[in-house]
Amino acid sequence: MNRMKFDPTALSPELRRVERRLMLKGALSLGGLSMLSGCALDDEPGVERALARMMNFTDRIQAMLFSRHRLAREFDAAQITRPFPFNAYYAEDDVRTVDPAGWRLEVAGLVADRRPWSLAAFRTLPQKRQITRHICVEGWSAIGCWSGVPLSIFLQHIGADMNAKYVNFRCFDDYSTSIDMATALHPQTIMTLDFDDATLPPAYGAPMKVRIPTKLGYKNPKYLAAIEVTNRFPGGYWEDQGYDWFGGS
Amino acid sequence: MLRLRRTPSPIIRITHWIGALSMLVMIGSGWQIYNASPILPFTFPAWATLGGWLGGGIAWHFAAMWTLIGSGAIYLIYGFVSGHFRRDLRPQEPQAVWRDVRLALRFRLAHTPGRYNAVQRLLYTAVLIVAVLTVTSGLSIWKPVQLGWLTWLFGGYDIARRMHFAMMTLIVAFLIVHIALTLIVPSTLFGMVFGRRPIASESETAR
């Protein structure tokens, strides 16, 4: 399995600072909102803290609204978006690949069995197929057909602590994201092996992607390398830069 | 002697201004979000957007969502319970609207403090309906799974998203007219801020 070439956590505080500055610059650029400028000009960290507090509040409400039993709408095969769009924080030419036979999913954290998993082992577990809408935080959406092992079944197999708060995903393209346990146990949250009834292609996250139709696209990690069950808030690639952590739909 | 007239109650004035500020934040940050994936062949200029980048726009949008929903809910409940909607905002028959439109176009529409003319009643009622549709269509594209029934009512995710944009456009159009008329009759602004008028005149005529 590929290892990260650098530690992204070392960079992220600097990235966050840059993004925050951009966010505040945007706030100030709306000159008409003179009421805001009073605090935004004199007390920028205050505005930032207030926004962060509001976002935490929004996340708490989202978690309250979430039901493990409410299913995302499923569509007919005729409604599938073709071609399904490629999306990542880099261009499609920069997609990284691994040898599927040599790939192993690392298992870490609050689980009974931390042995790595091969693709062949995943194929022996029950599979589920869904045609659901992928909604991007940018607003566009696309309908795709995904199949794989429900995450809840995998978590049972590795003896995960189902009372833990978070499931963290690390990817070999230096991406990461994390979700709440309730979403991890949702029946439509699947560890995807197939797209459109064929082996998952590199563009969509080969060899494994986590498909979560109750979350926005950036919470659907591709190129999965490791899974961790934890009570420590894990954040994520975009979440650390200021995207809403819950990111639910 | 300064005689106080029936003017907007404190609840209406406070919710109006919290709602107005929330709405401006929602519009600026919404344009930021729109620019990430435009549905029409244009984007909004950066100076008119709020948040600096998509993540910032989303942070502002959802922060202002709560103040807008909160002030809007208080306003709507008060409006129904106090009789404000029935008494002051209920639209009048088409003839009255037509009469007042013609008077307004000739700048001869009498503007009595504390009483809305037929055009105002129609516009305010319409913008309230549009605002409710903006919030509900927004909720339906925020939570198309958890509030799937709402998304379904709007005709699905894609239509709900366009509906949200169209309702925003109507609100911006209303704002332009609303602010222009306030500038023409500035005493109405005084009433909305302080709850009473600077002078106790019988009536003012829009000039």
Side-chain angles (χ1 to χ4, degrees):
Chain A
M1 197 192 77
N2 287 9
R3 299 297 311 173
M4 292 183 185
K5 291 185 185 63
F6 66 98
D7 180 11
T9 51
L11 253 172
S12 61
E14 190 49 44
L15 262 176
R16 262 199 299 277
R17 259 194 298 281
V18 172
E19 297 291 4
R20 275 175 187 165
R21 198 144 303 143
L22 283 173
M23 192 193 294
L24 290 163
K25 231 171 81 189
L28 298 180
S29 72
L30 200 74
L33 281 178
S34 51
M35 306 82 156
L36 275 179
S37 66
C39 47
L41 283 171
D42 309 334
D43 190 18
E44 295 186 5
V47 175
E48 204 177 283
R49 271 198 304 275
L51 277 179
R53 261 202 300 275
M54 288 302 264
M55 204 181 250
N56 284 337
F57 172 73
T58 307
D59 274 4
R60 278 207 301 279
I61 301 286
Q62 294 196 81
M64 276 170 51
L65 276 174
F66 182 82
S67 161
R68 201 180 292 176
H69 308 290
R70 202 169 292 130
L71 297 182
R73 192 183 150 193
E74 304 210 3
F75 297 84
D76 298 330
Q79 291 165 288
I80 293 174
T81 307
R82 299 183 196 281
F84 192 86
F86 169 82
N87 198 243
Y89 69 93
Y90 46 79
E92 191 165 355
D93 293 341
D94 299 324
V95 162
R96 276 165 262 186
T97 54
V98 288
D99 168 25
W103 177 88
R104 295 288 180 277
L105 182 73
E106 232 178 87
V107 177
L110 306 170
V111 297
D113 185 353
R114 294 191 185 152
R115 269 177 302 183
W117 276 64
S118 68
L119 275 180
F122 274 106
R123 290 283 180 194
T124 66
L125 294 182
Q127 312 280 312
K128 202 177 158 172
R129 180 176 181 272
Q130 53 166 275
I131 302 176
T132 48
R133 187 187 290 274
H134 167 115
I135 295 173
C136 183
V137 66
E138 293 172 350
W140 58 265
S141 71
I143 295 168
C145 174
W146 316 89
S147 347
V149 179
L151 180 55
S152 60
I153 291 179
F154 179 70
L155 290 175
Q156 278 164 16
H157 268 266
I158 58 174
D161 175 4
M162 305 289 196
N163 293 316
K165 282 188 187 157
Y166 311 107
V167 177
N168 185 27
F169 305 106
R170 225 165 20 78
C171 309
F172 61 77
D173 67 343
D174 299 330
Y175 192 77
S176 65
T177 190
S178 55
I179 56 171
D180 49 303
M181 182 58 81
T183 302
L185 299 178
H186 188 277
Q188 287 171 315
T189 301
I190 58 172
M191 309 185 80
T192 307
L193 299 161
D194 295 312
F195 174 79
D196 236 355
D197 300 321
T199 307
L200 195 65
Y204 305 140
M208 181 176 277
K209 168 201 175 77
V210 187
R211 171 72 189 128
I212 313 176
T214 56
K215 294 276 189 206
L216 294 174
Y218 65 94
K219 308 222 52 123
N220 286 241
K222 309 191 281 187
Y223 315 106
L224 205 60
I227 184 168
E228 178 197 14
V229 178
T230 178
N231 280 317
R232 210 188 62 237
F233 179 71
Y237 178 90
W238 282 117
E239 295 88 334
D240 292 349
Q241 296 175 47
Y243 274 17
D244 163 41
W245 178 76
F246 195 88
S249 64
Chain B
M1 204 187 93
L2 186 86
R3 201 154 45 86
L4 294 185
R5 294 174 181 280
R6 195 154 61 80
T7 48
S9 83
I11 291 179
I12 287 180
R13 282 182 287 123
I14 292 167
T15 54
H16 169 268
W17 288 111
I18 293 175
L21 180 59
S22 307
M23 201 81 92
L24 285 179
V25 171
M26 291 302 270
I27 291 168
S29 57
W31 289 357
Q32 182 79 55
I33 297 168
Y34 166 92
N35 281 357
S37 180
I39 47 180
L40 291 170
F42 68 86
T43 55
F44 293 97
W47 60 262
T49 66
L50 179 65
W53 70 299
L54 177 57
I58 292 168
W60 282 103
H61 208 63
F62 287 135
M65 168 177 76
W66 298 116
T67 53
L68 181 68
I69 289 178
S71 61
I74 293 170
Y75 174 78
L76 287 178
I77 291 168
Y78 177 82
F80 281 116
V81 171
S82 71
H84 167 59
F85 288 163
R86 183 174 36 79
R87 194 177 55 233
D88 304 321
L89 287 192
R90 188 173 43 170
Q92 292 171 333
E93 60 276 22
Q95 298 96 301
V97 177
W98 177 235
R99 179 197 68 214
D100 284 358
V101 164
R102 278 182 309 168
L103 285 171
L105 288 177
R106 284 182 285 143
F107 294 100
R108 298 193 57 83
L109 184 57
H111 196 94
T112 314
R115 270 191 54 201
Y116 293 136
N117 61 55
V119 177
Q120 279 177 307
R121 285 164 174 261
L122 190 68
L123 273 182
Y124 293 162
T125 303
V127 81
L128 279 178
I129 293 167
V130 167
V132 168
L133 285 173
T134 314
V135 170
T136 47
S137 62
L139 289 174
S140 84
I141 56 176
W142 180 43
K143 292 269 161 252
V145 178
Q146 308 309 327
L147 304 178
W149 58 272
L150 193 59
T151 320
W152 178 84
L153 275 180
F154 278 108
Y157 180 83
D158 283 327
I159 297 174
R161 191 174 166 226
R162 280 157 178 78
M163 183 81 168
H164 193 56
F165 186 88
M167 293 301 108
M168 175 279 296
T169 309
L170 289 178
I171 286 181
V172 171
F174 168 81
L175 276 181
I176 292 169
V177 174
H178 187 58
I179 293 169
L181 289 178
T182 306
L183 294 176
I184 293 171
V185 192
S187 65
T188 56
L189 181 66
F190 194 91
M192 205 37 146
V193 174
F194 300 106
R196 54 190 165 83
R197 316 259 159 191
I199 41 161
S201 58
E202 279 313 305
S203 70
E204 297 160 57
T205 305
R207 286 168 297 273

